[in-house]
Amino acid sequence: MSAAPAVPHHIAIVMDGNGRWATRRFLPRVAGHKQGVESLRRCVKACAARGVSVLTVFAFSSENWNRPVEEVSGLMDLMVVALGREVPRLLQDGVRLHFVGERSGLSEKIAAGLLQAEAATAHNTRLVLNVCFNYGGRWDIARAAAQLAARGEALTEANLDAAMALSHVPDPDLFIRTGGEQRLSNFLLWQSAYAELFFSDRLWPEFDEAALDEAIAVYQNRERRFGQTSAQVRAARPDQQAA
């Protein structure tokens, strides 16, 4: 009897299209980011319900500081509001929060809020939610290398992997980008080496449970070889072997 297709253990998402969603509705771009928070809440619940163990989302990149001042300011205000409103819900739903990124450029209020949110949800085990905020993939690699150099450790693949900002979780199995663009945009460059890529034309505020299920279904129909041949992969699968 064939086993049920595996649900990805770790899903990573570039939540793209909030601004365009708002612009098409003649709304300020910040309104799109607010709607994006609603979509993220829906996605977190859906991932937990489907048995996904880790969800990592790109909330604010290190390059996003170059956006218009009013949009950046609105995003920072939105983060403060979201922390106050969402953390109690995440705590109740068994979600553990990790914020990944450079914190030195953040305000004291936001930095303190991130720490408090992590501490409040530290004992939750149903789903790990990594929110990449003021994050960049190149920053992540450079930071890890600098840490190894400061400790006098060899710059090996294993040591670098252990020093990366997401070393507390396995690498993503499925990398989703919404909004119609088809690039990584400096997100999880190291960790996504063997992730299956899925690009959706839906803008992030429109990415619902059905869209998530579509991405998971595509993932389940991919053959993940990790350098092996198809024959080797099939031979190693229990559902392909005789009972």
Side-chain angles (χ1 to χ4, degrees):
M1 182 176 180
S2 297
V7 172
H9 180 85
H10 182 176
I11 296 178
I13 305 180
V14 178
M15 306 181 294
D16 194 18
N18 292 333
R20 281 174 286 160
W21 181 91
T23 299
R24 291 175 185 178
R25 289 160 177 77
F26 304 101
L27 298 170
R29 288 176 61 86
V30 172
H33 296 302
K34 290 180 180 178
Q35 191 63 35
V37 174
E38 300 295 325
S39 187
L40 177 56
R41 182 192 304 125
R42 187 168 61 230
C43 186
V44 169
K45 285 184 174 292
C47 283
R50 285 152 180 76
V52 175
S53 298
V54 183
L55 175 63
T56 301
V57 297
F58 208 3
F60 188 84
S61 77
S62 49
E63 289 82 14
N64 285 157
W65 293 106
N66 297 319
R67 291 192 174 188
V69 174
E70 62 273 13
E71 182 174 353
V72 172
S73 177
L75 282 166
M76 295 301 131
D77 291 341
L78 181 59
M79 173 57 84
V80 173
V81 173
L83 284 171
R85 187 178 63 179
E86 301 300 328
V87 170
R89 295 176 180 175
L90 295 173
L91 182 60
Q92 184 176 6
D93 291 340
V95 178
R96 181 174 185 176
L97 269 169
H98 283 273
F99 290 95
V100 182
E102 178 59 60
R103 301 193 188 186
S104 62
L106 304 177
S107 70
E108 291 185 9
K109 185 174 184 179
I110 289 180
L114 302 187
L115 284 173
Q116 291 169 5
E118 289 176 330
T121 62
H123 299 293
N124 286 353
T125 58
R126 188 181 184 196
L127 175 75
V128 174
L129 174 59
N130 299 306
V131 179
C132 293
F133 194 79
N134 197 22
Y135 172 89
R138 291 179 175 178
W139 163 87
D140 196 358
I141 296 169
R143 167 188 161 278
Q147 286 185 350
L148 294 181
R151 296 196 295 257
E153 297 182 23
L155 191 60
T156 66
E157 184 174 328
N159 286 347
L160 194 58
D161 190 61
M164 299 297 289
L166 282 175
S167 61
H168 59 284
V169 293
D171 289 344
D173 302 295
L174 174 61
F175 182 114
I176 299 171
R177 179 169 186 149
T178 64
E181 304 291 353
Q182 298 187 15
R183 56 178 177 269
L184 301 184
S185 291
N186 199 22
F187 184 48
L188 304 185
L189 299 181
W190 176 271
Q191 297 88 346
S192 297
Y194 276 101
E196 296 297 326
L197 307 181
F198 178 85
F199 300 104
S200 172
D201 288 333
R202 298 194 189 202
L203 303 177
W204 175 244
E206 300 166 345
F207 194 84
D208 56 13
E209 293 86 350
L212 177 66
D213 287 337
E214 178 188 2
I216 291 175
V218 168
Y219 165 84
Q220 291 172 330
N221 283 300
R222 302 258 181 97
E223 183 179 72
R224 308 191 74 206
R225 295 192 295 272
F226 299 99
Q228 295 182 318
T229 66
S230 293
Q232 286 176 304
V233 172
R234 287 195 296 270
R237 286 175 55 186
D239 58 316
Q240 294 293 322
Q241 297 175 1

